[in-house]
C-alpha cells in the first residue's frame, strides 16, 4: 500500500515530513533526483524526461500513486505527463492544486466554475522555471476570478538551501521579497511555491511583515492526500515498505536530509 514522493532533490522532504505525520500508517517511498538538481533553471522538455524517469522508478517500487513534491516538475511536466504518458491504472498528482484549493477556500477536489474569492493580491515565490510556466496562474484561473498574482523568480535560493548555506539563503529571501514588494507593495497572501522554501518560512514571514498570510505546502498537501486516499483507497499501490532513494550520492544526501526532516535517515542508490 505504498505511495511515492518525488522531488528534484531534498525539498520534497518538507512535504514528506508532513505526510508521515498525517498518514503514519502509509509507507512512503521518497525519490530525490539529486544527480540532476536543481530543476528550476532547466528547460521544460528536460524536466519532463527526468520526472518521467523518477516516476517510473517509483512505480517499480509498487507505488501506483506518485506525488510530485516539486512545484517545478508539477508546473513544467505534470500536465503533459497526465495527458500523454500516465497509464490509466496509475496516478501522478502535483502540489499546486491543493495549494490553490486552500488559497481559494475550496473543498479538496471541488471542480466547480471559478468564482470571486476573499483574497485579491497574491505574491508567488517560486523557481524561475515555475514562474515562467505560469502554471500557478493557469490553475488559479480555473478556480477564482479577480485575483492579481505577482510572481517573483527566486534565483539561487534552491542552490543555497541544498548547499546548507542558510546565511546566503536568508539574504536571498530578503532581496527577493524586496524586489516583489516594489511591484506589489501590499500583498494579502504569499505563496511559497517551491518545496524547498518551507525551510525559510520564518525568513519569508519576517521580510513580508505582519498582515501577510503565508501559504506553505507541506501541511496543505498532507491534508489533501489524506482526503484523496479516503476517496480512492485503491490507489494505495502494492509496495509494502517505505524507503529513501536518491540518484545522487546516498551518504551525502542522507547527511543533508537531516536538516529537512529533523532526524537522521539513510538513503539508498536509486
Ligand atoms: N523543490 C522544487 C520545487 O518545488 C524544485 C527546486 C529545483 O530543483 O529547482 O520547485
Amino acid at each position: 500500500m505504498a505511495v511515492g514522493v518525488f522531488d528534484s532533490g531534498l525539498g520534497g522532504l518538507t512535504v514528506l515530513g508532513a505526510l508521515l505525520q498525517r498518514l503514519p500508517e502509509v509507507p512512503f517511498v521518497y525519490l530525490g533526483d539529486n544527480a540532476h538538481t536543481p530543476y528550476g533553471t532547466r528547460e521544460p522538455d528536460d524536466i519532463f524526461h527526468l520526472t518521467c524517469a523518477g516516476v517510473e522508478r517509483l512505480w517499480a517500487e509498487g507505488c501506483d500513486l506518485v506525488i510530485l513534491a516539486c512545484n517545478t516538475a508539477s508546473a513544467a511536466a505534470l500536465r503533459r505527463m497526465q495527458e500523454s504518458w500516465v497509464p490509466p491504472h496509475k496516478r501522478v498528482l502535483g502540489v499546486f492544486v491543493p495549494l490553490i484549493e486552500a488559497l481559494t477556500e475550496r473543498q479538496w477536489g471541488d471542480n466547480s466554475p471559478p468564482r470571486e474569492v476573499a483574497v485579491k493580491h497574491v505574491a508567488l515565490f517560486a523557481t524561475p522555471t515555475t514562474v515562467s510556466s505560469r502554471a500557478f496562474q493557469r490553475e488559479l484561473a480555473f478556480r477564482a476570478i479577480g485575483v492579481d498574482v505577482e510572481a517573483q523568480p527566486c534565483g539561487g535560493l534552491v542552490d543555497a538551501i541544498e548547499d546548507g548555506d542558510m546565511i546566503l539563503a536568508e539574504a536571498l529571501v530578503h532581496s527577493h521579497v524586496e524586489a516583489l514588494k516594489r511591484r506589489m507593495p501590499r500583498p494579502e497572501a504569499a505563496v511559497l511555491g517551491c518545496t524547498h522554501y518551507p525551510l525559510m518560512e520564518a525568513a519569508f514571514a519576517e521580510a513580508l511583515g505582519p498582515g501577510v498570510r503565508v501559504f506553505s505546502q507541506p501541511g496543505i498537501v498532507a491534508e489533501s492526500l489524506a482526503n484523496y486516499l479516503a476517496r480512492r483507497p485503491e490507489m494505495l499501490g502494492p509496495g509494502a515498505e517505505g524507503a529513501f532513494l536518491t540518484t545522487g550520492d546516498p551518504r551525502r544526501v542522507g547527511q543533508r536530509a537531516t536538516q529537512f526532516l529533523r532526524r537522521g535517515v539513510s538513503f539508498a542508490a536509486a
Side-chain angles (χ1 to χ4, degrees):
M1 53 178 272
V3 172
V5 179
F6 175 81
D7 182 43
S8 62
L10 294 165
L13 291 174
T14 61
V15 173
L16 182 73
L19 294 177
L20 291 168
Q21 260 190 0
R22 180 65 182 79
L23 295 161
E25 69 289 1
V26 176
F28 288 96
V29 182
Y30 184 85
L31 171 58
D33 190 10
N34 298 80
H36 303 105
T37 197
Y39 280 12
T41 45
R42 287 180 182 271
E43 290 301 315
D45 208 43
D46 196 12
I47 295 170
F48 173 79
H49 292 294
L50 290 170
T51 306
C52 288
V55 168
E56 270 183 334
R57 180 70 186 82
L58 287 165
W59 285 342
E61 290 291 312
C63 303
D64 290 347
L65 166 64
V66 175
I67 309 297
L68 298 187
C70 176
N71 291 268
T72 309
S74 302
L78 182 58
R79 179 171 276 244
R80 182 170 161 198
M81 290 168 79
Q82 287 173 334
E83 284 173 1
S84 65
W85 185 78
V86 180
H89 57 290
K90 310 269 193 212
R91 288 286 178 285
V92 181
L93 302 177
V95 282
F96 266 136
V97 170
L99 180 85
I100 291 169
E101 287 174 340
L103 183 73
T104 57
E105 293 171 28
R106 276 183 179 241
Q107 296 297 315
W108 308 123
D110 169 2
N111 286 324
S112 60
R115 53 178 180 258
E116 287 240 16
V117 293
V119 67
K120 299 283 181 231
H121 302 284
V122 176
L124 168 68
F125 297 93
T127 65
T129 301
T130 298
V131 169
S132 59
S133 75
R134 296 188 61 82
F136 179 84
Q137 288 89 330
R138 186 184 64 223
E139 292 295 340
L140 183 65
F142 289 137
R143 294 167 179 83
I145 43 182
V147 184
D148 182 19
V149 177
E150 193 61 57
Q152 176 65 28
C154 299
L157 188 51
V158 165
D159 302 74
I161 296 171
E162 289 264 332
D163 291 345
D165 189 343
M166 301 324 253
I167 295 175
L168 174 61
E170 208 161 301
L172 286 169
V173 167
H174 280 266
S175 77
H176 287 305
V177 169
E178 283 317 307
L180 180 121
K181 278 181 154 180
R182 283 197 284 276
R183 305 192 305 276
M184 180 182 272
R186 264 181 287 281
E188 298 158 286
V191 168
L192 305 189
C194 170
T195 53
H196 284 71
Y197 301 174
L199 284 197
M200 305 308 296
E201 190 170 340
F204 273 105
E206 189 200 302
L208 285 158
V212 184
R213 180 155 174 219
V214 178
F215 285 80
S216 176
Q217 284 168 327
I220 293 171
V221 172
E223 235 9 89
S224 139
L225 181 63
N227 179 283
Y228 180 85
L229 289 175
R231 285 182 283 125
R232 304 292 309 273
E234 73 281 9
M235 287 320 299
L236 285 164
E241 279 186 43
F244 290 89
L245 305 175
T246 176
T247 57
D249 171 1
R251 205 175 57 89
R252 188 181 170 275
V253 171
Q255 280 165 357
R256 297 282 309 110
T258 311
Q259 181 191 1
F260 286 78
L261 271 183
R262 294 195 190 85
R263 67 179 168 91
V265 277
S266 74
F267 272 77

